Amino acid sequence: MDDYRLIADEMAADITSGRLRPGQQLPTQRAFARRRGIAASTAGRVYRELVRRGLTVGEVGRGTFVRAGRCAPDGPIALAEPATAPIDLELNYPSAPGQAELLAGGLAPLLRADALGEALRPVGAAGTDVARQAFAGLLSAGPGGWDVDARGLLFAGNGRQAIAGALAALVPPGQRLGVEALTYPVVKAVAGRLGIRLVPLAMDEHGLRPDALAAAHRAGPLRAVYVQPRLQNPLGTSLPPERAVALVEELRRLDLPVVEDAIWSFLRPESAPLAALAPERTVLVDSLSKRLAPGLTTGFAVVPDGLRERVAGALRTGGWTPSGFALEAAVRWIGDGTLAAVVAAKRMDAAARQALAREALAGQRLRADPCSYYLWWDLPGAWRAETFVAAAARAGISVTPAAAFAVDPRSTPSAVRVGLASPPLPVLRWALRVLAGIAND
């Protein structure tokens, strides 16, 4: 084993044992090299290895810090499991008042023996004719909808599986996928499992920059792009219409397919998806986990003709096809108006939580859409993200450091994402005020 890995193992042991605390700053690489009596190049390899393992993070202009929060052994957290802190402001699974009663009413007919027997049959990635029609109608409804061809619908167990199927179909192992510089952590984890190389694409206040896409493709050919055009996670930005058109024109010029993640778009239904502008090259992925509930959800994708068999094959071979029961339940909730009622309640709930957050965090540098369930908090100058997360954890509150979203772990902003969906409103108000007090300390 190389010497740098032995040194990295020693430091990893210090981190996991608590001798190096979350948020603690490591010495500069030059100082570390002098202290250990090693070459500066070896010190650089040690620091890069710790970043690769998800144990440290580099903050622009500040240095390298021990990472706070839940870390995977060989990569960033994926925000797929509840935090251990009493107040979870990491995961975002909204639940509207009276939601359980509404969902129970829609399930009652499905529990008859004849209907249940049919629902428990296995289904493939293509689902059923009834399901394709129902989901096509769901996506076509509203001011931001478009005329969805039901034949293009494919289904997965959840949204993460739909994303994995799309990426596996479009990007071979070892090839490059362009993503927003701050992106959904699950995409980072999925890409790592599939052997896909992520390329960070620069953003501005409006979202992904088309010129950044072109520059990245010139530096080394991309095989596809993953983007969240509406209510981007974590920043909450939505592409203005003119930016969406410019991005589509650039994708066409470069002849690149795009995976459009529409998971939060139900909160801003007036915005048209990229799939409506460029249906021939867009794989739109979505799920019902945010609209309804994560425990009984369905992922789905609208796939162009030329890519449909590849995506369906990836879903089948990955074991990512849907549950027949969940798919049938979704069809019923769509048809009887349950889903529409729950979505309307969640839009009101998200707006109320954003208003509460703006009040509790008045004076802080926040970026958020008034319709969304999360906000991006650029911390005051004296704070580093990892130190702030550690301080919040001591108060019993979990928030997500910017490193979880940064594609380049060597360069992360001093910021955190705060999820607003999970706690009851009084608990959320109290937690946000506690965080404001920590930030102002």
Side-chain angles (χ1 to χ4, degrees):
M1 180 181 290
D2 294 344
D3 288 345
Y4 83 91
R5 291 183 181 170
L6 290 173
I7 299 172
D9 288 343
E10 293 176 17
M11 297 191 68
D14 287 342
I15 292 170
T16 54
S17 68
R19 288 190 291 273
L20 288 173
R21 300 182 306 278
Q24 184 171 339
Q25 184 173 15
L26 300 184
T28 65
Q29 292 182 24
R30 187 181 299 276
F32 182 78
R34 287 199 302 268
R35 182 181 304 172
R36 299 295 298 247
I38 59 178
S41 60
T42 302
R45 297 180 77 184
V46 171
Y47 276 42
R48 288 193 294 273
E49 178 66 12
L50 293 173
V51 169
R52 188 194 69 78
R53 297 185 191 185
L55 297 173
T56 61
V57 60
E59 293 186 13
V60 179
R62 294 172 179 267
T64 303
F65 300 86
V66 177
R67 188 168 186 169
R70 298 165 288 138
C71 296
D74 51 5
I77 58 176
L79 302 188
E81 296 181 0
T84 55
I87 302 177
D88 185 356
L89 301 186
E90 287 194 87
L91 287 191
N92 257 329
Y93 286 121
S95 180
Q99 173 176 315
E101 291 76 12
L102 284 170
L103 296 177
L107 278 181
L110 188 55
L111 299 181
R112 296 194 320 266
D114 57 337
L116 184 59
E118 189 65 28
L120 294 179
R121 293 177 181 273
V123 294
T128 64
D129 289 340
V130 173
R132 289 193 297 274
Q133 293 294 336
F135 279 79
L138 172 67
L139 293 171
S140 300
W146 82 107
D147 188 14
V148 178
D149 185 350
R151 293 172 299 177
L153 264 293
L154 295 175
F155 297 94
N158 54 47
R160 295 190 296 273
Q161 293 177 0
I163 292 170
L167 296 185
L170 296 177
V171 188
Q175 297 299 306
R176 290 157 49 95
L177 171 71
V179 298
E180 292 141 321
L182 295 169
T183 194
Y184 180 34
V186 166
V187 169
K188 296 167 62 178
V190 168
R193 294 290 184 264
L194 295 176
I196 294 171
R197 297 164 56 197
L198 295 184
V199 179
L201 304 176
M203 308 167 68
D204 59 20
E205 68 275 14
H206 300 302
L208 178 62
R209 287 168 34 196
D211 65 314
L213 172 60
H217 193 61
R218 283 195 302 271
L222 302 174
R223 293 300 294 265
V225 177
Y226 166 89
V227 65
Q228 295 174 310
R230 295 174 286 173
L231 295 184
Q232 195 265 354
N233 181 15
L235 298 178
T237 55
S238 294
L239 295 182
E242 60 276 10
R243 173 64 62 86
V245 169
L247 180 59
V248 164
E249 289 175 351
E250 196 62 42
L251 288 166
R252 284 198 174 108
R253 188 181 71 82
L254 301 173
D255 194 23
L256 286 173
V258 58
V259 178
E260 176 180 8
D261 188 341
I263 187 72
W264 287 109
S265 60
F266 73 96
L267 293 173
R268 187 167 278 289
E270 70 279 4
S271 300
L274 296 182
L277 302 175
E280 80 286 355
R281 65 185 59 253
T282 305
V283 178
L284 182 141
V285 294
D286 203 340
S287 89
L288 299 185
S289 62
K290 308 299 186 184
R291 286 177 174 88
L292 291 177
L296 189 64
T297 188
T298 298
F300 52 100
V302 182
V303 187
D305 288 343
L307 300 174
R308 195 167 304 144
E309 187 48 45
R310 286 164 59 186
V311 175
L315 291 172
R316 287 192 296 267
T317 56
W320 299 322
T321 50
S323 154
F325 184 85
L327 188 61
E328 180 60 27
V331 169
R332 291 174 181 268
W333 285 324
I334 293 171
D336 67 10
T338 296
L339 187 143
V342 172
V343 164
K346 288 185 176 180
R347 287 173 184 157
M348 294 178 61
D349 182 56
R353 289 169 184 267
Q354 279 288 345
L356 184 154
R358 287 194 296 273
E359 176 189 349
L361 301 177
Q364 302 295 330
R365 294 184 299 158
L366 308 176
R367 284 186 272 178
D369 188 293
C371 299
S372 77
Y373 269 114
Y374 45 88
L375 59 86
W376 185 254
W377 186 352
D378 291 303
L379 295 169
W383 279 104
R384 299 181 299 272
E386 304 303 310
T387 312
F388 184 84
V389 170
R394 289 194 292 272
I397 304 167
S398 63
V399 295
T400 312
F405 304 93
V407 177
D408 184 353
R410 299 166 300 179
S411 178
T412 60
S414 183
V416 296
R417 193 201 72 169
V418 180
L420 307 176
S422 299
L425 282 170
V427 175
L428 176 62
R429 179 182 289 107
W430 178 86
L432 292 175
R433 288 175 175 170
V434 169
L435 292 179
I438 293 173
N440 291 327
D441 187 354

